[in-house]
Amino acid sequence: MIPISPLPSNVEPPGLPAGTGVGSFVVRAVQSRSEFSIRYRATASASDGEVVIEEFAPAGIAQRDAAGQLGPRSPADAALWEAGRQAYLRESEVLAKPLHPALVRIACVWQLRGTVYRLWPPLEGRTLAEVCAAWTEPPTEYWLRSFIAPLLDAVESLHRAGWVHGSVRPGQILVQPDGGPLLLDPDAVRAAIGARL
């Protein structure tokens, strides 16, 4: 018998191929990957408008079968997979509610092919980390107050909904073209299973 080496934790499941239907959308290409998800450029079947769809697909513990179903790579990964999937689903359901204008709102969320998908709104701007790196002088007190107040209100709206963001940092805050902030997703999967991967 040939011994099987454990898979490295960075093994990523393949993305869905172009032309795959996801709800009423059609995948065009993989846009980006993170440790816990795959984002796709897709089009709406009815209008041909371009959208971004994100799929829960944690590297290291997820695998895709020939039919496109995603699931745990092995029985030993099943509990971790399910904990991450549930965290992703709960986060998506919270972000689908209109909580605050400075908090990203997921357009819709659905379960399909053994995993969870969510439809992202069009996002424009740069992260606060990128903006800060480009600064040649400190921001004014007026700018700081007008930028931070909506962020604090957005965090408070999450607390009222029974949720803690847990990842408020410059890379998770978008500076929109009008200068206003947009707090991105809390990254609940990392909080739920990241330390155990």
Side-chain angles (χ1 to χ4, degrees), residues 115-127:
T115 190
V116 181
Y117 295 87
R118 59 189 181 190
L119 178 65
W120 277 84
L123 298 176
E124 294 182 52
R126 297 183 299 160
T127 66

Side-chain angles (χ1 to χ4, degrees), residues 75-139:
D77 296 322
L80 202 54
W81 162 270
E82 189 56 24
R85 194 180 75 81
Q86 288 300 321
Y88 187 87
L89 179 61
R90 284 191 307 273
E91 174 187 275
S92 300
E93 289 170 344
V94 167
L95 294 178
K97 298 172 183 172
L99 297 177
H100 192 275
L103 179 65
V104 71
R105 184 175 178 199
I106 300 301
C108 64
V109 56
W110 64 103
Q111 298 182 69
L112 184 69
R113 293 188 182 91
T115 190
V116 181
Y117 295 87
R118 59 189 181 190
L119 178 65
W120 277 84
L123 298 176
E124 294 182 52
R126 297 183 299 160
T127 66
L128 181 58
E130 294 168 327
V131 170
C132 289
W135 276 339
T136 56
E137 58 186 54

Side-chain angles (χ1 to χ4, degrees), residues 12-16 29-40 52-58 64 70 88 117-118:
E12 298 174 335
L16 293 169
V30 171
Q31 181 185 58
S32 63
R33 289 177 181 265
S34 74
E35 189 178 358
F36 301 110
S37 66
I38 303 172
R39 285 192 183 172
Y40 301 96
V52 174
I53 294 174
E54 186 178 58
E55 174 185 45
F56 172 70
R64 192 180 307 278
L70 258 181
Y88 187 87
Y117 295 87
R118 59 189 181 190

Side-chain angles (χ1 to χ4, degrees), residues 134-150:
W135 276 339
T136 56
E137 58 186 54
T140 64
E141 180 181 346
Y142 173 80
W143 184 89
L144 286 170
R145 287 179 182 273
S146 62
F147 193 81
I148 292 173

